[in-house]
Amino acid sequence: MRTDAFALRHLGPRESDLNHMFKTVGVETLDQLIFETIPDDIRLKNELNLDEPMTEYEYLAHIQELGKKNKVFKSYIGLGYHPAIVPAVIQRNIFENPGWYTAYTPYQAEIAQGRLEAILNFQTTVIELTGMEIANASLLDEGTAAAEAMALLFDVRTRDQKKNNVKKFFVSEEILPQTLSVLQTRSTPLNIELVVGNHETFDFSTEFFGAILQYPGKYGQVYDYAGFIAKAAESEIKVAVAADILSLAKLTSPGEMGAAVVVGTTQRFGIPMGYGGPHAGYFATKEEYKRSMPGRIIGVSIDTNGNRALRMALGTREQHIKREKATSNICTAQVLLAVMAGMYAVFHGPKGLQYIADKVHASAVTTADALNKLGVYQTNSAFFDTILVKADAAKVKAIAEKHEVNFFYPDAETISISFNETTSINDINQIIAIFAEATGKDAFTISQLGNDTMVPENLVRKSTFLQYDVFNNHHSESQLMRYIKKLERKDLSLNHSMISLGSCTMKLNAAAEMLPLSMANWNSIHPFAPIEQAEGYQIMLKKLEQQLNVVTGFQGTTLQPNSGAQGEYAGLMAIRAYHLSRGDNHRNVCLIPASAHGTNPASAAMAGMEIIVTKTMENGNIDVEDLRAKAILHKDNLSALMVTYPSTHGVFESAIIEITNIIHENGGLVYMDGANMNAQVGLTNPATIGADVCHLNLHKTFAIPHGGGGPGVGPICVNEKLVPFLPTNPVIPTGGSQAITAISSAPYGSALVCLISYGYITMLGAEGVTNATKYAILNANYMKARLDEHYPVLYSGEMGRAAHEMILDCRAFEEKGIKVTDIAKRLMDYGFHAPTVSFPVAGTLMIEPTESEDLAELDRFCDAMISIRKEIEASTKEDANNILRNAPHTLAMVTANDWVFPYTREQAAYALDYIAENKFWPTVRRIDEAYGDRNLVCSCAPIEAYM
């Protein structure tokens, strides 16, 4: 046994288990199973061209050496990113804790109450600071949140505005440059006309439906927007404000000024800069717009006993359920980062946040006064944390970089300096010394911060915020540590048991992959730092791009899209740009199979495409003849096909090359959804099946943790045709020679977590990543063989094999009064998170074990499912008081004096022997979904608000 081989630690099944597994599956060897699963004409003929694998020890030494090539300068660049102090209690107990980072999206709310409470705290923080009525559970970053605000305001136009095709959207020239670029990308396919200008000279024409303002402005100027917003309302123009979250502890909130939407990032609430991400964007709006709001909302409801219980509210908020009618394709949030930002607010409380904001402001004012004494004059008439000074930028830059300091330089004689919570008196004296040297004057030092303010009296915040107990009771480390642990204990994560979610690939997130995220050389770099200061990042990111090119068979990769849905959108926008470059402006038809994930049509709608749905056959495969007929019918306007492979039904369709050829013959390109890439790596690839572009879910196949619903990373890999159109960034240029504008705010998206996927591939190597695929397929087929006689498996390949996942058909059990949700809830009593419920087929469970689960865990899950099958048989439609329909069973139920159920307490809680060793207790009974939607509460309201 090679104890230093990472593959040994990542792969679940042991060598000694294989013969038993082969016998159960009905094969002699693993290669025989793969032959029977994947069509031979798409199999790769050669091993992947990847470097020899490193051991964990070698990798960590390598990543430390590489990190030394990053230069961590003092950063005053601003533009939406600031050095932040991550409280150690949050870093150790959340950021570095698999109990938090390996959890899945809280679809099974009864075993996610801790995470849901933490997100509710985040939503409350956002609502209170922005002065708005409702907030969601986070978005991807500030730029994309601003784009979602524009889309919402477009969607909620008045009837007259829609009738008159009012489509102009005003963007203040104070907007952050990266936000403007994302707005340009998103507005173009929707035919929204952006008008960039000075908000002080805006004419409030009725040709506009909305506007967006930056608060404070990109270089620090603070404006009073109340008059602008009031005047805009007279012309039925709704206003969004992109606001710095920390400034709102000191400045009048946008809600009090009348804003319709407020967006931004919570990065400076204790989240490392990480060369651009991941960070939780925020989105807050008015209650009346909740049906048009993107993303998820966590709401307060009640359980079967009437006790307070949290859940994801308003199912339609997952806009991809609307498919082609969606105004957003957001599927994930940035939950782990939102949890951290919310805990930062809990830890510091309202007085702590006020103290931090006052200190940051005082640092800016004190420095401005000192620089004025040097004859370096500050030009902002009002500011919070950013001063704008006039000096010889080139001269200052040379001296500053010599002292390892980064400012931002808008032009040759202007310097922008943004202060942050890490700024000390020594840092201010260093800044004074730099400017003294640049101006040839004597430096002087200051010993304390001044008391002056540069916030006008009418903009000083008068309203209180965060008065709830949770924000005022956890200010010592022991208090917060215990609170975090209390919430963690309510949640089922991968550190307890397997999470077998089909389409979501909940595999091991190895500690060796995660450790570098805490290293200062990696997590402290500003995304707009001069590129030569990020040499380690540049080497790592380029190498990861090359690795992904090898895996997909393609020629180019962008890491910018910071979620799978963003990847879908980026891929379609690259296809759109390709057609436009050839003068094929009319090519806008996108074919999408009926079985596709709902984000596919939502992304196509956002890319301005006309969606034509093609049929699927009874066996779940694409109806090739229907696809051919529609491709020929629309050949003059065909833009793309969106296809998931292996299919959403967990099958390698043998006609895939015929399908991609049909599209190419009719002038279109093929976008492959990479959701199921865990069944392809090393065995086949998107280029081989004939795709032109694919997105990859790095948070699935390539081991980035799901973090309770995010971070995700969704890079796209493309062939030579599409390389020129990969996206750029307005501050740090990236992408191709004919690059489209930005997809997300940061040049390389969520660069920090790309380290995880780089580590995954680097430590596994070619043989390791290929074996990961083989074992994922073996584990799925082993479970299929064990469950076959108990549950019908809906679809399988031509030789009866599943790919890496399978669908159990539970619809017949309704004759017994049992729905698929009853099985999902009962699994909690057995210590398991349910597989994917009712997707892609209603009334089914989609199971994906991944390669990381060992034989014992596979058997435990199968034993639980077989035991539940016997419980189903014992049920009747007439008897609602049964073990499945009452599930899950809480500790309070099982230990209550009264037991009013026709089965024993032991049957409820300890149905199988293994459970007693490691019992997981849901903390609430089954949640009343409808009640929570009828009585929508999405902040830390007092109990009277929902009783």
Side-chain angles (χ1 to χ4, degrees):
M1 182 171 90
R2 262 203 68 188
T3 58
D4 59 353
F6 176 71
L8 178 81
R9 308 307 185 189
H10 179 79
L11 300 174
R14 305 292 87 186
E15 194 77 32
S16 55
D17 298 329
L18 294 182
N19 285 337
H20 167 72
M21 295 179 78
F22 295 159
K23 192 174 176 185
T24 304
V25 171
V27 293
E28 297 287 325
T29 63
L30 192 50
D31 286 339
Q32 181 191 340
L33 174 63
I34 300 306
F35 174 78
E36 293 177 6
T37 305
I38 303 179
D40 207 43
D41 63 337
I42 61 166
R43 284 289 304 278
L44 298 180
K45 303 299 177 249
N46 300 309
E47 192 178 76
L48 296 175
N49 183 23
L50 296 171
D51 293 344
E52 284 298 305
M54 293 183 191
T55 66
E56 291 188 25
Y57 182 78
E58 288 168 340
Y59 173 70
L60 289 170
H62 158 73
I63 215 72
Q64 280 180 315
E65 280 305 304
L66 202 53
K68 289 175 186 172
K69 294 180 184 291
N70 293 324
K71 297 183 175 72
V72 183
F73 283 18
K74 286 282 180 183
S75 177
Y76 306 98
I77 295 169
L79 295 182
Y81 300 94
H82 304 268
I85 296 169
V86 186
V89 60
I90 294 174
Q91 175 168 325
R92 175 57 56 90
N93 292 291
I94 296 176
F95 187 58
E96 296 173 347
N97 181 352
W100 284 93
Y101 66 68
T102 70
Y104 182 58
T105 310
Y107 287 113
Q108 297 295 332
E110 293 84 356
I111 50 174
Q113 288 296 297
R115 200 166 348 125
L116 288 163
E117 181 171 327
I119 307 168
L120 194 75
N121 293 342
F122 171 83
Q123 288 179 179
T124 305
T125 301
V126 170
I127 289 167
E128 297 264 311
L129 285 169
T130 60
M132 300 305 285
E133 294 167 357
I134 189 169
N136 67 17
S138 78
L139 286 181
L140 302 172
D141 59 29
E142 181 165 338
T144 55
E148 297 289 349
M150 174 181 70
L152 179 141
L153 297 181
F154 191 59
D155 189 48
V156 300
R157 288 174 298 166
T158 65
R159 188 173 293 151
D160 281 350
Q161 285 173 329
K162 287 177 179 174
K163 191 174 81 178
N164 296 325
N165 195 25
V166 173
K167 60 181 183 180
K168 284 188 178 178
F169 186 70
F170 174 76
V171 181
S172 165
E173 59 197 15
E174 290 282 344
I175 205 85
L176 298 175
Q178 67 271 23
T179 300
L180 175 59
S181 190
V182 175
L183 288 169
Q184 287 165 336
T185 307
R186 290 281 193 94
S187 61
T188 305
L190 300 177
N191 292 316
I192 294 172
E193 187 184 331
L194 293 190
V195 178
V196 182
N198 184 336
H199 76 273
E200 295 178 315
T201 58
F202 180 56
D203 66 358
F204 300 97
S205 147
T206 53
E207 293 178 352
F208 290 84
F209 68 86
I212 188 165
L213 310 167
Q214 191 81 42
Y215 183 60
K218 63 184 173 183
Y219 303 136
Q221 178 68 40
V222 173
Y223 297 95
D224 182 349
Y225 289 128
F228 179 95
I229 293 169
K231 201 167 177 190
E234 292 170 13
S235 300
E236 295 187 309
I237 299 168
K238 299 177 182 73
V239 180
V241 175
D244 178 287
I245 191 86
L246 184 62
S247 76
L248 301 183
K250 191 161 186 70
L251 303 178
T252 302
S253 71
E256 293 169 280
M257 294 181 184
V261 186
V262 187
V263 298
T265 174
T266 56
Q267 179 267 315
R268 65 193 311 181
F269 272 25
I271 314 295
M273 289 187 292
Y275 205 44
H279 309 133
Y282 74 80
F283 189 106
T285 187
K286 297 181 176 181
E287 185 98 11
E288 64 189 282
Y289 303 138
K290 65 189 177 190
R291 295 279 165 193
S292 298
M293 201 172 168
R296 303 193 178 108
I297 303 171
I298 305 310
V300 181
S301 189
I302 55 175
D303 74 358
T304 304
N305 287 356
N307 294 321
R308 178 181 187 268
L310 306 176
R311 56 184 272 279
M312 291 202 296
L314 301 176
T316 50
R317 299 292 23 83
E318 304 260 17
Q319 286 223 7
H320 56 274
I321 293 168
K322 298 181 181 179
R323 299 178 77 83
E324 63 270 19
K325 295 184 177 66
T327 55
S328 168
N329 67 351
I330 288 293
C331 183
T332 50
Q334 297 277 30
V335 170
L336 184 69
L337 298 314
V339 166
M340 289 174 66
M343 282 302 176
Y344 180 92
V346 168
F347 192 44
H348 292 302
K351 290 178 182 169
L353 293 180
Q354 232 152 7
Y355 167 79
I356 293 165
D358 286 341
K359 179 173 172 277
V360 168
H361 181 60
S363 299
V365 175
T366 302
T367 308
D369 290 346
L371 295 184
N372 280 342
K373 288 175 187 163
L374 290 174
V376 177
Y377 295 110
Q378 199 285 129
T379 60
N380 285 334
S381 58
F383 58 82
F384 165 62
D385 67 350
T386 301
I387 60 176
L388 199 64
V389 298
K390 291 294 179 183
D392 182 334
K395 196 171 185 182
V396 171
K397 186 171 190 280
I399 296 165
E401 290 184 0
K402 184 177 73 181
H403 291 283
E404 300 193 341
V405 169
N406 285 328
F407 303 129
F408 189 70
Y409 306 92
D411 59 48
E413 57 222 14
T414 312
I415 301 154
S416 173
I417 309 172
S418 290
F419 295 84
N420 59 78
E421 69 169 320
T422 73
T423 305
S424 67
I425 298 286
N426 287 342
D427 295 330
I428 292 170
N429 284 324
Q430 184 184 37
I431 293 169
I432 294 168
I434 288 166
F435 279 92
E437 189 178 337
T439 54
K441 296 185 177 170
D442 291 337
F444 57 88
T445 59
I446 59 154
S447 57
Q448 61 183 38
L449 298 178
N451 295 318
D452 294 344
T453 181
M454 286 298 288
V455 176
E457 178 56 31
N458 65 312
L459 285 178
V460 173
R461 182 167 189 139
K462 314 285 193 302
S463 56
T464 58
F465 56 91
L466 302 183
Q467 299 302 298
Y468 307 108
D469 285 351
V470 71
F471 297 102
N472 293 281
N473 288 346
H474 305 292
H475 302 326
S476 76
E477 179 166 334
S478 54
Q479 286 169 325
L480 188 69
M481 176 178 67
R482 288 170 190 148
Y483 178 60
I484 291 170
K485 194 67 186 176
K486 183 180 90 168
L487 298 190
E488 183 193 337
R489 281 198 301 263
K490 296 180 179 185
D491 282 18
L492 192 145
S493 301
L494 272 175
N495 64 350
H496 180 273
S497 58
M498 158 188 186
I499 299 178
S500 61
L501 284 148
S503 187
C504 284
T505 315
M506 297 291 293
K507 64 170 69 178
L508 171 72
N509 314 116
E513 295 158 3
M514 302 297 294
L515 286 173
L517 274 59
S518 294
M519 295 177 183
N521 280 12
W522 291 105
N523 67 27
S524 303
I525 310 284
H526 193 291
F528 301 143
I531 206 156
E532 62 274 10
Q533 292 174 22
E535 188 186 345
Y537 258 116
Q538 291 298 317
I539 292 168
M540 182 273 291
L541 294 169
K542 283 188 174 65
K543 184 70 177 179
L544 177 58
E545 287 174 4
Q546 288 166 6
Q547 290 169 333
L548 297 178
N549 286 343
V550 168
V551 164
T552 58
F554 284 139
Q555 284 70 48
T557 293
T558 175
L559 298 165
Q560 194 178 113
N562 48 8
S563 81
Q566 291 288 95
E568 291 178 16
Y569 180 71
L572 294 176
M573 290 299 284
I575 288 173
R576 180 180 179 276
Y578 167 79
H579 288 311
L580 291 175
S581 75
R582 294 157 56 87
D584 289 344
N585 304 25
H586 51 283
R587 288 199 174 274
N588 71 336
V589 168
C590 186
L591 302 183
I592 302 180
S595 61
H597 194 289
T599 53
N600 284 185
S603 297
M606 286 170 56
M609 294 183 174
E610 181 190 342
I611 294 143
I612 303 293
V613 177
T614 69
K615 294 177 186 173
T616 49
M617 299 189 295
E618 275 189 30
N619 65 1
N621 290 353
I622 291 171
D623 184 329
V624 177
E625 292 316 310
D626 183 63
L627 179 100
R628 190 192 313 277
K630 284 171 177 166
I632 292 168
L633 177 66
H634 296 283
K635 68 178 189 294
D636 294 336
N637 298 312
L638 184 61
S639 175
L641 165 73
M642 297 186 83
V643 63
T644 301
Y645 200 74
S647 75
T648 313
H649 296 133
V651 173
F652 282 96
E653 298 179 46
S654 57
I656 189 64
I657 289 179
E658 183 185 359
I659 287 166
T660 56
N661 283 342
I662 289 168
I663 301 305
H664 291 142
E665 285 161 10
N666 289 285
L669 298 184
V670 176
Y671 164 88
M672 192 204 86
D673 186 309
N676 293 339
M677 197 68 198
N678 213 44
Q680 282 198 41
V681 179
L683 301 179
T684 183
N685 64 34
T688 299
I689 69 168
D692 299 281
V693 51
C694 75
H695 92 269
L696 301 172
N697 295 104
L698 297 192
H699 50 288
K700 295 183 182 182
T701 306
F702 297 96
I704 292 176
H706 283 66
V713 179
I716 59 168
C717 305
V718 299
N719 61 15
E720 277 178 29
K721 285 181 193 170
L722 295 177
V723 167
F725 308 104
L726 294 176
T728 189
N729 177 277
V731 185
I732 302 288
T734 59
S737 56
Q738 296 169 262
I740 60 173
T741 44
I743 293 294
S744 62
S745 290
Y748 304 97
S750 294
L752 180 64
V753 288
C754 286
L755 278 164
I756 301 166
S757 300
Y758 174 67
Y760 171 85
I761 298 170
T762 300
M763 287 188 283
L764 281 175
E767 186 181 5
V769 295
T770 305
N771 282 340
T773 310
K774 290 178 178 179
Y775 280 97
I777 292 170
L778 173 63
N779 282 358
N781 281 280
Y782 175 79
M783 292 179 79
K784 178 177 181 288
R786 279 212 61 195
L787 295 174
D788 243 341
E789 63 187 279
H790 306 281
Y791 295 87
V793 175
L794 256 190
Y795 307 111
S796 53
E798 289 170 10
M799 297 192 197
R801 301 299 180 195
H804 63 314
E805 62 189 4
M806 65 190 142
I807 299 172
L808 304 187
D809 191 350
C810 303
R811 291 172 291 190
F813 305 145
E814 294 199 20
E815 291 176 10
K816 297 269 187 185
I818 302 302
K819 294 183 177 173
V820 69
T821 49
D822 297 319
I823 301 171
K825 304 306 179 191
R826 180 61 176 147
L827 268 167
M828 297 174 192
D829 292 329
Y830 286 83
F832 286 107
H833 192 292
T836 304
V837 177
S838 288
F839 174 80
V841 180
T844 65
L845 291 172
M846 183 157 65
I847 297 175
E848 179 182 353
T850 84
E851 71 276 10
S852 300
E853 299 303 338
D854 60 42
L855 179 59
E857 188 71 356
L858 301 180
D859 280 337
R860 263 193 295 275
F861 184 84
C862 290
D863 291 345
M865 289 298 293
I866 292 165
S867 179
I868 289 171
R869 183 70 180 86
K870 290 172 185 167
E871 293 171 351
I872 294 169
E873 278 308 303
S875 304
T876 63
K877 198 162 196 171
E878 296 69 38
D879 180 17
N881 188 18
N882 71 42
I883 203 162
L884 283 138
R885 288 163 78 175
N886 287 326
H889 296 81
T890 63
L891 182 60
M893 279 175 79
V894 173
T895 57
N897 290 332
D898 296 325
W899 182 256
V900 293
F901 308 107
Y903 45 89
T904 68
R905 297 172 196 259
E906 187 177 23
Q907 286 171 321
Y910 298 105
L912 292 173
D913 289 344
Y914 77 81
I915 299 171
E917 286 178 32
N918 190 24
K919 176 65 180 171
F920 181 89
W921 291 101
T923 50
V924 296
R925 291 193 65 190
R926 199 174 302 196
I927 294 171
D928 187 331
E929 305 280 349
Y931 181 93
D933 283 350
R934 286 196 309 271
N935 306 277
L936 183 65
V937 176
C938 64
S939 65
C940 300
I943 199 158
E944 300 78 49
Y946 59 90
M947 289 302 288

